[in-house]
Amino acid sequence: MEQQKTNIIQTIDRMQHELLALSHQIHDHPELGYEEHQAVASIRSFLEDRGFQVETPYCGLDTSFKVVKKGKGPGPRIAFLAEYDALRGIGHGCGHNIIATCAVGAFMGIASLIDEYDGEVSIIGTPAEEGGAGKVILLERGAFDETDYALMMHPSGGGSNLVGRGGRAATRIRVSFHGKAAHSSSPSNGINALSAAIHVFNQIDLMRSTFQVQDNINGIILEGGTAANVIPELAKCEFSLRAETMLRIKELIRFVTSCIEHAEALTGAKAEVSVEPIYAERYPNKPMCQAFKNNMESLGIQMTWAEPGKLYGSSDIGNVSIKIPAIHDYLSITDDKTIQSHSKEYTKADATPQADEICLKGAKGLAMTALDILESSEFRSEINAYHDAQVPKEYR
Ligand SMILES: [Zn+2]
Ligand SMILES: [Zn+2]
């Protein structure tokens, strides 16, 4: 096993320049969710140049893909998950260029030795994590039906390498209120769509003291009229909802929906509502996390266990972690504690020599953890038993 881990490290080191070129290429061409055509093309040509067949579009999504390398017989099917979407106006401020490159590097590390094992290794390209719920759509279309274990990493900052971190459930609600325009000198001739929108905000704030500690609803107004002397006929707003569980998110959706209905009844404006698929809370698989932690520590990266119950953010890996054992652990790409994720400063930090070094180590750590899974049926039993005990029965 140790010799095989050394082989993985050497394989990834041999292609480090090409892997980092891929990371920088994705970084320098940020694309929003479901528009990641250049990122997928770059990953695809990297893999095709090395003799792999890439299936894309995958499950009907143009910017999803899957590549598989089979071992000598049937066995555990391990997928590395790649994300590659960026943030509007910020670029790769969440470091998904590094996630994608780690997945590719880890795949290459395992592909070089899978011939000796039963099982298979793949990369599943998962678009639109930052909004659009790519993994939720992929799950609905069966993209993970032939996968037993999902592994990915996520860049973090401030020197914080967290393992086993959870994530809250989340969704977004978008509302358009349609009213009737009128001269502002006689507002009673119109229906004020902006008033309806503001009423939704006020009702949410009124009830905020009844929220649970983990609940959060935050809203923005996207459109609220065009001139102050015209009664707005259209107002658009969007709300981000977070809660400890998917079940609680469903209650919050009902609450916001009732606020919208009250605003309609009060003002006469008509609402058009769309709710994004729910990002589930996360169930990190502890045995897999422990293996990843051990492997990263053998590469010189110390990791700490995350505290449970903190006000963590959300990701669609949560939905995957309900279906199959999954990890999504955090590797810091900068020691600067003032640099926050989702900022332009973080975008710059994602392609520095320090970020590059972590990217290669992340790829190695993921591949080494996949090797642990391939090597030991006892370890797989431990992972599977933990998963079965951890995920609530009502989700099965
Ligand atoms: Zn993000
Ligand atoms: Zn992210």
Side-chain angles (χ1 to χ4, degrees), residues 87 93-94 96 129-130 154 341-342:
L87 298 156
C94 206
H96 294 185
E129 188 278 332
E130 294 289 358
H154 199 294
S341 175
H342 284 210

Side-chain angles (χ1 to χ4, degrees), residues 11 45 78 136 140 149 151 194 200 203 208 216 226 232 264 268 277-278 290 305 324 332 341 360 368 382 384:
T11 300
S45 66
I78 301 168
V136 185
E140 285 168 3
Y149 305 96
L151 281 69
L194 180 61
V200 177
Q203 290 176 91
R208 207 173 283 280
N216 181 258
T226 49
E264 279 186 298
I278 299 173
Q290 182 66 57
W305 286 98
I324 51 174
S332 173
S341 175
L360 296 172
M368 289 156 83
E382 188 192 345
N384 298 343

